[in-house]
Amino acid sequence: MIKRRSLLLGGAVAATSAASATGAGVLLLSAPASSATATAGIDPADIAKYTLKMPVPPTLRPHAASTTTDYYRMTMKEAYKEVIPGFQTKVNTFNGSFPGPVINAWSGRQAVVTQTNNLTVPTSVHLHGAHVPSSSDGGPMDLIATGGGTKTYTYPNQQAHANLWFHDHAHHQESETVYRGLTGTYLIRDNAETRLGLPSGNHDIPISIRDARFDDAGQLLFEMDDFFNRTVILANGKAWPYFEVAARKYRFRFYNTANLRSFQLALADSSTFSLIGTDGGLLAAPFVTQSVSISPGERADVVIDFSRYPVGTELELKNIIAQAPGTPADVTQVLQFRVTRTERDTSVVPAKLRTLPALPTPTVQRSFSLLMDESQAEPAYAYINGKEYDPQRIDTTVTYGTTEVWTVTNSNQRVPHNFHVHLVQFRVLERNGVAVTSGPESGLKDTVPLGPGETVKLQATFGGYRGVYLYHCHLFDHASMGMMAQMQVV
Ligand code: C2O
Ligand code: CU
Ligand code: CU
């Protein structure tokens, strides 16, 4: 495990999405003295923008199906991809695709996925946001051996439509394995969502956004907590790509698959779009906004209407989150939409999207504090409630079926965190004492950002399955250092 003090401060200025989510403006924190000084590797300014076309990840087809179940196979393996123009970069893939393919699941219909590991490290495949038995949750110690080891995961999909994703979760490895590419998209759809008439088919596009750092040979460079040097922005596996659209409405499901970086996405002309959903599917009603923030692991499901632009328009998607002094301006660019044609559009964004599940009365209250070393002291640490992750220890015992309120605090002065809970979709009741009643945090969530000093109150009902599940900071480098714990539902 790498826990070098000098590296721990990186990420300190990953200004969190929390402030903007609450409309309070964006936090800007002072940078550690060491920030933005290293220059090893390709300078983002030397990478041509908007020359690669953004791919849409391929949809994975089941290899077999029964009346109840779709059966899928994936192989984790290395491949070479043109991630930055002119280079072939070695990446981790599912089935040769970077990022991995899309599974289109249907609520109530089971998916069984057999994973084969042909990478050089053991892996564990976790389906983020899913309500699954502990044995299929892809826990940190539940490893698939290298050299062709396999594991079959059963996903019951007994949950409503949601924007899920899968990624490696092997303890102490996941931050690097994910950084090198081991992520993929998993959409659960249902009738309630489908009958709304939102943009669909070729107009419903998942986009995974992340950052990376490349050496002079165009290969991915990984160091723990290397936030300030990961200044190349990738969308669906390409650095600063372009994407051609018709002058009509599109649904984009943005995934933040970065290890540390939060994004605040906005159109270059500051025009509005509709946030229709987040982690656990649709909001109750569309939220019209000029920007949306996603911390690592979070999703933003948006509809952008390009019908207001003439054919020929080029429109950037920007990252307007506050940056530390010295950060290259390149990280404020994400991708470029090109309006290339007109097209008939019968899709709609209804004023009412769904009825969120009622909130049962909670019977248990707990508190969690996230804290990592931000001094120069040794040894470095990354804690939840004063402890590092220990796979042998159960930190929280939850009685099956209970509804609980968890008060989660970021106890750091400078370092942002977020908080992700396996097994459940939760609700954000309060942020810093202010009730959340509408807007981006009002839907079903599985990951929530926490700026320095911030506190959120979350409510979840722990039913469906018994067993051991994780909760952790989803800044993967922090989780790898130990900011992770486990609950047992008994
Ligand atoms: Cu995205 Cu523990 O997971
Ligand atoms: Cu998860
Ligand atoms: Cu963290």
Side-chain angles (χ1 to χ4, degrees), residues 94 99-102 127 164-167 181-186 208 255 257:
F94 289 97
V102 182
L127 183 57
L164 311 185
W165 60 300
F166 49 96
H167 61 75
L182 216 54
T183 69
T185 301
Y186 188 107
S208 293
Y255 286 71
T257 59

Side-chain angles (χ1 to χ4, degrees), residues 91-405:
V91 292
N92 289 338
T93 73
F94 289 97
N95 284 359
S97 151
F98 173 76
V102 182
I103 287 186
N104 276 301
W106 192 258
S107 176
R109 188 174 163 77
Q110 177 169 264
V112 170
V113 181
T114 299
Q115 294 280 3
T116 301
N117 183 6
N118 285 342
L119 293 170
T120 56
V121 286
T123 57
S124 175
V125 182
H126 168 59
L127 183 57
H128 178 126
H131 188 58
V132 302
S134 177
S135 56
S136 283
D137 194 46
M141 315 308 286
D142 193 1
L143 300 176
I144 310 175
T146 58
T150 68
K151 179 173 162 82
T152 296
Y153 296 88
T154 298
Y155 302 134
N157 297 320
Q158 297 290 339
Q159 65 190 99
H161 68 271
N163 300 308
L164 311 185
W165 60 300
F166 49 96
H167 61 75
D168 180 49
H169 220 311
H171 189 36
H172 294 325
Q173 308 279 350
E174 77 275 49
S175 62
E176 179 161 4
T177 306
V178 166
Y179 178 83
R180 296 191 181 281
L182 216 54
T183 69
T185 301
Y186 188 107
L187 302 176
I188 300 181
R189 301 173 190 273
D190 62 16
N191 280 322
E193 181 196 29
T194 303
R195 66 167 172 250
L196 292 173
L198 293 162
S200 62
N202 291 334
H203 310 104
D204 174 4
I205 311 283
I207 305 182
S208 293
I209 298 180
R210 53 165 294 184
D211 57 3
R213 176 189 184 187
F214 294 85
D215 68 17
D216 292 327
Q219 299 307 308
L220 284 167
L221 235 165
F222 178 82
E223 284 179 17
M224 282 293 276
D225 223 11
D226 190 25
F227 175 74
F228 290 104
N229 293 310
R230 295 176 189 160
T231 49
V232 178
I233 308 302
L234 312 184
N236 282 350
K238 303 289 181 195
W240 296 291
Y242 69 89
F243 187 67
E244 294 181 349
V245 294
R248 53 157 290 155
K249 289 188 283 305
Y250 279 77
R251 178 177 187 179
F252 296 110
R253 309 190 199 219
F254 291 107
Y255 286 71
N256 183 340
T257 59
N259 286 30
L260 295 168
R261 185 176 297 280
S262 291
F263 294 91
Q264 185 178 359
L265 302 173
L267 294 165
D269 63 357
S270 301
S271 61
T272 58
F273 53 88
S274 297
L275 177 70
I276 59 167
T278 55
D279 306 344
L282 296 171
L283 297 170
F287 179 71
V288 176
T289 181
Q290 289 173 297
S291 73
V292 67
S293 295
I294 38 176
S295 72
E298 289 191 289
R299 287 81 80 200
D301 194 345
V302 311
V303 174
I304 300 178
D305 190 352
F306 296 99
S307 68
R308 60 195 165 203
Y309 302 110
V311 169
T313 302
E314 295 177 343
L315 180 68
E316 270 185 300
L317 182 72
K318 309 282 288 184
N319 171 26
I320 62 167
I321 203 164
Q323 304 292 342
T327 302
D330 310 72
V331 305
T332 68
Q333 299 175 281
V334 179
L335 61 85
Q336 182 193 59
F337 294 113
R338 291 184 187 163
V339 183
T340 58
R341 60 195 186 278
T342 55
E343 213 175 87
R344 203 168 76 95
D345 185 2
T346 55
S347 70
V348 290
V349 179
K352 176 170 167 32
L353 296 169
R354 90 189 290 182
T355 303
L356 289 164
L359 285 164
T361 304
T363 56
V364 176
Q365 308 269 341
R366 302 179 198 271
S367 297
F368 299 89
S369 154
L370 311 180
L371 181 68
M372 75 185 286
D373 187 11
E374 55 188 356
S375 72
Q376 292 297 307
E378 295 281 9
Y381 53 82
Y383 290 158
I384 297 181
N385 284 355
K387 291 178 180 151
E388 286 184 354
Y389 173 67
D390 176 353
Q392 304 306 325
R393 190 185 66 229
I394 299 297
D395 300 278
T396 302
T397 302
V398 175
T399 304
Y400 182 91
T402 25
T403 296
E404 306 201 349
V405 170

Side-chain angles (χ1 to χ4, degrees), residues 260 370-372 382 410 412 415-419 450 472-479 483:
L260 295 168
L370 311 180
L371 181 68
M372 75 185 286
N410 176 348
N412 275 107
V415 183
H417 298 295
N418 69 14
F419 193 71
L450 281 152
H472 57 92
C473 176
H474 213 284
L475 279 63
F476 273 126
D477 293 6
H478 298 181
M483 192 171 283

